[in-house]
Amino acid sequence: MIKSIDSKTTIIDKASYNNVDFEVLAYNSLEGPQDIEMAMGIFFANQTGLKMKQVRIRLNNGSVKTEAGSLYFYKGNIESKSNIGGVGGLFKKAISGSITNESAIKPEYKGFGEIYLEPAFKHYIILEINNNSLIVDKGMFFCCSDSIEVKGFMQKNISS
């Protein structure tokens, strides 16, 4: 599903769940370098078709969890919180975070408005889980609906 927003931005993937719209935006061209090195990088990125991508989340009285540090900015009437869960909960999340190489705390955002996560030259995959489990490699989590439980999982043996 590809839809141009304007001449510079395209929605390349989209999903909706529980009053939350997840969108992957791609920027068609990059502009505004601050120095010669950045200008060269932007020139070659544009020449090769490399696109900067960003996840936009639209909340309509919905809520989401994100990887810590992934927030770029948000606008609207949005409340943010980090649910630590007391000393025991923090210790459990710290162990899980050390297993997955991700932050122990997943910030939650709820309300009405738009959240923009950190732009990058990465690929983003939107998956609908539908009462199933999904095991991904270290560092793969970026954001999800607040109804999804995110936790670390240790492999039982080396061959798995």
Side-chain angles (χ1 to χ4, degrees):
M1 182 270 185
I2 296 178
K3 177 185 174 191
S4 288
I5 296 174
D6 54 39
S7 63
K8 295 182 180 184
T9 313
T10 303
I11 298 172
I12 58 173
D13 203 358
K14 183 178 181 175
S16 298
Y17 181 77
N18 274 1
N19 300 323
V20 179
D21 295 325
F22 296 92
E23 299 172 326
V24 178
L25 307 178
Y27 297 98
N28 300 324
S29 66
L30 301 175
E31 300 171 354
Q34 302 298 316
D35 57 45
I36 192 72
E37 194 172 306
M38 185 184 287
M40 288 177 16
I42 288 175
F43 173 79
F44 289 116
N46 286 332
Q47 291 299 308
T48 60
L50 186 61
K51 306 244 188 255
M52 175 77 73
K53 296 178 192 83
Q54 185 172 36
V55 174
R56 175 172 62 185
I57 304 167
R58 294 180 182 204
L59 300 177
N60 186 17
N61 198 27
S63 57
V64 295
K65 296 177 194 171
T66 67
E67 178 62 24
S70 64
L71 178 67
Y72 194 54
F73 74 91
Y74 64 79
K75 59 184 181 179
N77 186 13
I78 298 174
E79 175 185 321
S80 66
K81 70 175 185 170
S82 296
N83 187 8
I84 296 173
V87 175
L90 179 60
F91 181 71
K92 193 175 183 181
K93 288 177 181 181
I95 297 293
S96 174
S98 69
I99 291 170
T100 62
N101 273 354
E102 293 177 344
S103 173
I105 299 166
K106 307 284 185 242
E108 295 180 25
Y109 303 94
K110 66 179 175 178
F112 297 87
E114 293 182 348
I115 299 171
Y116 290 79
L117 301 182
E118 208 52 54
F121 289 105
K122 298 179 179 180
H123 296 287
Y124 296 100
I125 302 168
I126 296 178
L127 297 173
E128 293 185 41
I129 296 180
N130 297 328
N131 296 321
N132 291 314
S133 295
L134 177 67
I135 299 175
V136 296
D137 203 1
K138 294 178 183 178
M140 288 289 294
F141 174 77
F142 199 54
C143 65
C144 67
S145 169
D146 74 330
S147 63
I148 295 176
E149 182 181 355
V150 179
K151 62 182 179 178
F153 179 78
M154 183 71 113
Q155 291 180 339
K156 298 208 185 324
N157 59 43
I158 254 180
S159 67
S160 58

